[in-house]
Structures are given as structure tokens and as C-alpha cells.
Amino acid sequence: MSRILNIGAAQLGPIQRSDTRKNVVERMCELLKQAKKKNCDVVVFPELCLTTFFPRWFFEDSSEVDNFFETEMPNKECKPLFDLGQKLGILFSFGFAELIKVGKDTKRFNTSIIVNTKGEIELKYRKIHLPGHSEFDEKRSFQHLEKRYFDIGDLGFPVSRIMNVNMGMCICNDRRWSETYRVMGLQDVELIMLGYNTPLQNPPAPEHDHLTSFHNHLSMQAGAYQNATWVVGVAKAGIEEGVHHLGQSSIISPSGEIVSMATTIDDELITASCNFDLCRSYKETWFNFEKHRQPQHYHLITDRIGAIPPEK
Ligand code: CDT
């Protein structure tokens, strides 16, 4: 019997600072209802999707930035989303800023969760590749302070068998790193769900700006193909507080092909019928890891962080 799930990528348009979590959750619920009408089993929402993308601002005082974080999940504002997912029988994932207390310490993570059809958190991932910088940069017209506001994720890249499919997550900048996909590939991942907030401009390297869309798809398509997995990449898109964010949310098959892509930069649901047996035909041939990988020649990948050029 083939394993097919209908998957929805629920792109969100911009979220301004004045928007409340209640407004955002209403928009997410509307997309879940649309997904139900299209018979979706799974819906993927973007990174940090309950608020505006706050790392664009420098806050001296952590109590100000903490307003963008959630201290429990589901909380009062998100409960309607969890209840609706359960009522509709849809599994979904979404990203949020997570604040936890560990003894006397406070930890802040850029987190994504998978919520199962019983409305329970089934799997959690905390972003590992945090982009940007940690101090105010006067040369930028907007900041990207993820390194200031978040701790590096401490959960690795977990994969879990849910609905008869091996599912994992990563978040935004993680999608540019081949290690992200391979660590999940080595757990036989078949579906990677990821959300992103990608400004169309990267002030330190304006020469790349016209390639933002190409690099988005290049990374996700390569990750899908080389690891024989479906990848669902979902944007928070549009003009947020004056900053233009990439759209083009996509559902990508293990062949590396984009099978569905958003055409707006607003709230938009795209869907695809995803056959997970398609992963097998790649996992058993080109990317039969057991047969073809040569890890004895890969030790530099974990032994070394930065590149060291040859002496001559
Ligand atoms: N949210 C996120 O990770 N965005 C980054 C852009 C960073 S620009 C310094 C991305 O990789 O899309």
C-alpha cells in the first residue's frame, strides 16, 4: 500500500509589530480550515510566526525583547490553533520564540514544533544555525540579531516516525547547510518541514541580493534530492515593518523538483499530494547510504569548523 499524505504549506504574509498573537492565530486557523477543504493531512507554517520578525531591531534591555517570546506552549493565544488542528484531524508544525528557565538561567530558543492530531506536541526542534550578529551594527539599515537573542539549539536534528512517515524539522538558515539535511538523512528522514523569514536584502553582501530566491530553492532542492526526502519550505513573506521578505514557499519532492510554489507574498496555502514511497526509489539507488557512503574520509566535517587552506 502506498504512503501518500496531502501536505499544505501555509505561507503567511507580513506580521507587523502592532499585530497581536490573537490576530495571527486567527489567520493561521483560517489557513487550517482551507487546508481541511483541500483534504490536507499535514500543514506547515513559517518560522517565528506568532510575531513580527523582531531580530531586525536592537533592544538593549532583555525585558523588552522577552515580549516576543512564549513561556508555555500551547498558551492561551495558541490554544484555538491546537484545538482546531485536533478537531480537523490535521497535524501541523510552526515556529515561535521559546523562553525557558533552567535553574537560575534563562534560555531563549528559535523553536519549531510538530503538533499531532490529538493536539499534543509530538516533536520539538531548536534552531542550530543562527545567522546574523550579536551587537548593533550601524552599517545596516536593519539588524539581524539572532545571535544576540537566541541560544544555539540543544536538541540536535531529531527525526520521528509519525503517521507512518519519518519526519524532521529545521529552521530558515539551517536550510543553507548540507549538514542539516544529512544528519536527518542518516535517520532515514522522509519529510523535512521548515519555515523561513528571509529578507530580500543582506546588507553585508548586497552583491547576492538578486540571487535570494535562487539560493532559497537551490539549497532546499539539493537537500531534498541528496537525502531522498520531501522538503516543505514555508515563508513569512511580504513587507514587514519596511523590510521585504522572500515568499516562494515550496513543496519539493525527493527528485529535487518543486511540485508546488506560492505565487503571492501574502497568506496563501499551497498543497501537494506527497507519495513517501518515492523516497525509497532514491534511498535504495543513488543515495543508498549503507552501500555508498565512505565516512572514513569525512572526519574533517566534525573535526574542523572553519576552512584551513592547504600550505601549498
Ligand atoms: N531567519 C533566518 O535565518 N534568515 C536568514 C537570513 C539571514 S541574513 C543575515 C536566512 O538564511 O534566510
Side-chain angles (χ1 to χ4, degrees), residues 157-159 166-168 178-192 223-229 280 283 287-290 293:
F157 292 97
V159 171
N166 301 335
M167 300 185 186
S178 55
E179 293 87 347
T180 298
Y181 302 92
R182 184 49 51 94
V183 170
M184 287 191 269
L186 286 167
Q187 297 169 77
D188 210 26
V189 74
E190 295 170 309
L191 171 61
I192 297 177
Y225 169 63
Q226 291 170 348
N227 294 280
T229 179
R280 294 262 71 86
K283 286 186 194 292
F287 300 111
N288 183 330
F289 288 171
E290 185 64 40
R293 289 184 78 250

Side-chain angles (χ1 to χ4, degrees), residues 98 100 109-111 124-128 153-156 171:
E98 180 190 22
I100 58 166
F109 297 105
N110 184 340
T111 296
K124 181 178 279 189
Y125 168 70
R126 292 172 173 152
K127 187 173 182 177
I128 287 177
D154 58 355
L155 301 174
I171 301 177

Side-chain angles (χ1 to χ4, degrees), residues 242-303:
V243 178
H244 292 246
H245 284 226
L246 179 69
Q248 298 194 329
S249 301
S250 302
I251 301 176
I252 299 161
S253 93
S255 65
E257 293 165 291
I258 295 175
V259 298
S260 184
M261 182 170 83
T263 54
T264 73
I265 47 171
D266 224 318
D267 292 5
E268 179 181 348
L269 180 81
I270 59 165
T271 62
S273 167
C274 301
N275 184 348
F276 289 91
D277 290 331
L278 188 54
C279 302
R280 294 262 71 86
S281 83
Y282 287 90
K283 286 186 194 292
E284 286 166 8
T285 59
W286 295 105
F287 300 111
N288 183 330
F289 288 171
E290 185 64 40
K291 210 164 165 185
H292 303 302
R293 289 184 78 250
Q294 302 296 342
Q296 71 278 19
H297 294 293
Y298 306 156
H299 63 93
L300 277 185
I301 289 184
T302 52
D303 289 354

Side-chain angles (χ1 to χ4, degrees), residues 55 129-135 144-151:
H129 298 100
L130 297 172
H133 50 113
S134 46
E135 297 303 329
H144 199 106
L145 288 157
E146 285 195 61
K147 284 194 194 295
R148 180 179 187 85
Y149 298 136
F150 297 116
D151 293 290

Side-chain angles (χ1 to χ4, degrees), residues 44-58:
V44 184
F45 290 104
E47 173 192 33
L48 296 175
C49 72
L50 300 175
T51 67
T52 197
F53 189 72
F54 61 89
R56 75 169 66 87
W57 293 302
F58 178 82

Side-chain angles (χ1 to χ4, degrees), residues 86-142:
Q86 187 176 4
K87 182 173 152 211
L88 301 178
I90 295 178
L91 173 145
F92 60 94
S93 78
F94 72 99
F96 64 96
E98 180 190 22
L99 186 151
I100 58 166
K101 296 274 180 204
V102 186
K104 285 189 188 137
D105 283 351
T106 301
K107 294 269 182 199
R108 296 174 182 82
F109 297 105
N110 184 340
T111 296
S112 267
I113 51 174
I114 293 177
V115 180
N116 68 21
T117 54
K118 292 187 213 141
E120 300 159 343
I121 297 175
E122 178 89 38
L123 194 64
K124 181 178 279 189
Y125 168 70
R126 292 172 173 152
K127 187 173 182 177
I128 287 177
H129 298 100
L130 297 172
H133 50 113
S134 46
E135 297 303 329
F136 182 76
D137 180 351
E138 61 183 17
K139 289 195 217 74
R140 295 175 185 244
S141 55
F142 59 92

Side-chain angles (χ1 to χ4, degrees), residues 47 53 127 131-132 144 146 172-173 175-176 197-199 202:
E47 173 192 33
F53 189 72
K127 187 173 182 177
H144 199 106
E146 285 195 61
C172 196
N173 189 261
R175 76 195 187 290
R176 303 184 192 275
N197 281 268
T198 297
N202 182 26

